[in-house]
Amino acid sequence: MPACPECNADVSDERRFCPRCGTELSVYATNTSDEQGDREYMDLNDPQSENNDDYAGSDPDPEPQLQRQSEGGLIAFPIEYPSRAGWFTIVGGGILFLLSFLIIPLFMILGYLVRVANAAAQGRPEPPTLDDWLGLIKDGIVVTAVLIPPGIVYSLLVVIGMEINIILYVILAVVGAYALPAIFVSYAAEKDWRAAYDISSLVELMSTRTYLFGYLIYLFIFQLIGSVVVGILAILSLLTIVGWIIIIPMLYFYWVAIDAALWGQVYNKVNT
């Protein structure tokens, strides 16, 4: 089984991206000719390579291919994207959700959401898996640390606005709620805490029509309608023996993964 050149994780032959670190993979080929008996490196992004027969004649520009992989609307793509990780990941996420009161599984879920948003933002065709437990915990702790300061500021402003004037309270609440996803996805996409606090970049992102549409979809479809759908499915799952044990946590895990994929897709569309 080949290994990732960045983190040395085992990767199946079918994957184009490392499930642990997200690095785009390359393949190694063995040239059996007498003149080239040594094993040589072939980059999947080099369709012009003489030895890369599988990709001969394909689009020579890798960027359009990356962009095509993430093509799709802001509704269909986020709903479908998490399922590409496979049932093992979804069931594992449900187990983590069930055990989230132990804190460590909660950090793993948060870390996974960061990686889902990052994969969608980078246009990767496959979401990450749950293989790298320590990495997920680390990502979850970091994103929590990144989001705590703006969360505190948001809460203080809302409380102050409530004390001053109801109109000011509503304005601050709406503006803050509109900004928080931008802070999250900026960090997730760049994996740099400074990106989450880059005011000019955040304003540029939030001022786009794509972000506005994404926020409305998030609010009215994935949260409002989504909560009803998940609630109905959760009630129906109670009719099964294992419904409350694993099906309901799986539903909620998939639901939050949809949100992460949405914001990653928004970031991708804004920046490509």
Side-chain angles (χ1 to χ4, degrees):
M1 180 177 291
C4 173
E6 290 295 327
C7 67
N8 206 35
D10 291 336
V11 184
S12 63
D13 294 331
E14 295 81 12
R15 283 193 172 271
R16 290 196 56 205
F17 297 88
C18 174
R20 174 179 294 177
C21 66
T23 299
E24 186 170 7
L25 303 174
S26 299
V27 297
Y28 292 88
T30 301
N31 193 314
T32 57
S33 65
D34 293 337
E35 295 80 12
Q36 296 178 327
D38 295 333
R39 201 176 187 191
E40 65 181 13
Y41 185 77
M42 296 197 312
D43 192 337
L44 281 175
N45 282 334
D46 185 12
Q48 300 298 322
S49 171
E50 295 178 358
N51 297 314
N52 197 346
D53 295 333
D54 292 338
Y55 291 86
S58 62
D59 191 343
D61 184 0
E63 277 304 311
Q65 185 173 359
L66 262 183
Q67 187 173 352
R68 283 197 297 271
Q69 294 287 4
S70 65
E71 277 185 355
L74 295 179
I75 299 178
F77 175 84
I79 293 175
E80 184 265 342
Y81 189 61
S83 67
R84 300 181 188 177
W87 280 106
F88 182 81
T89 297
I90 298 172
V91 173
I95 295 174
L96 291 176
F97 215 101
L98 183 65
L99 301 175
S100 59
F101 65 92
L102 297 175
I103 306 301
I104 295 299
L106 178 60
F107 282 134
M108 293 181 66
I109 293 173
L110 293 174
Y112 183 76
L113 297 181
V114 169
R115 295 190 177 191
V116 169
N118 177 271
Q122 301 301 326
R124 297 174 190 151
E126 297 178 356
T129 63
L130 295 172
D131 295 346
D132 181 18
W133 286 22
L134 291 178
L136 290 173
I137 294 172
K138 176 184 175 182
D139 286 346
I141 293 174
V142 173
V143 74
T144 300
V146 168
L147 292 178
I148 283 177
I152 293 175
V153 172
Y154 172 58
S155 300
L156 290 175
L157 289 177
V158 168
V159 170
I160 293 173
M162 186 182 302
E163 293 295 328
I164 297 177
N165 185 282
I166 186 64
I167 297 179
L168 179 61
Y169 160 72
V170 172
I171 293 175
L172 291 175
V174 171
V175 171
Y178 189 74
L180 287 176
I183 296 173
F184 164 77
V185 75
S186 294
Y187 165 73
E190 303 297 334
K191 297 301 284 288
D192 185 347
W193 65 269
R194 290 169 294 188
Y197 303 130
D198 187 338
I199 302 300
S200 61
S201 296
L202 291 174
V203 171
E204 181 179 356
L205 173 63
M206 292 186 293
S207 62
T208 63
R209 183 181 301 178
T210 300
Y211 187 90
L212 174 60
F213 287 166
Y215 185 78
L216 294 176
I217 290 170
Y218 165 77
L219 193 62
F220 293 106
I221 296 181
F222 291 160
Q223 294 303 305
L224 185 60
I225 299 177
S227 62
V228 175
V229 172
V230 171
I232 293 174
L233 293 175
I235 293 173
L236 293 176
S237 70
L238 292 176
L239 301 176
T240 65
I241 297 176
V242 296
W244 69 274
I245 299 176
I246 187 60
I247 296 180
I248 293 177
M250 284 171 55
L251 287 172
Y252 280 95
F253 174 77
Y254 197 92
W255 188 17
V256 293
I258 287 175
D259 292 340
L262 166 66
W263 292 115
Q265 176 77 331
V266 167
Y267 193 92
N268 178 274
K269 286 184 172 294
V270 169
N271 290 279
T272 54

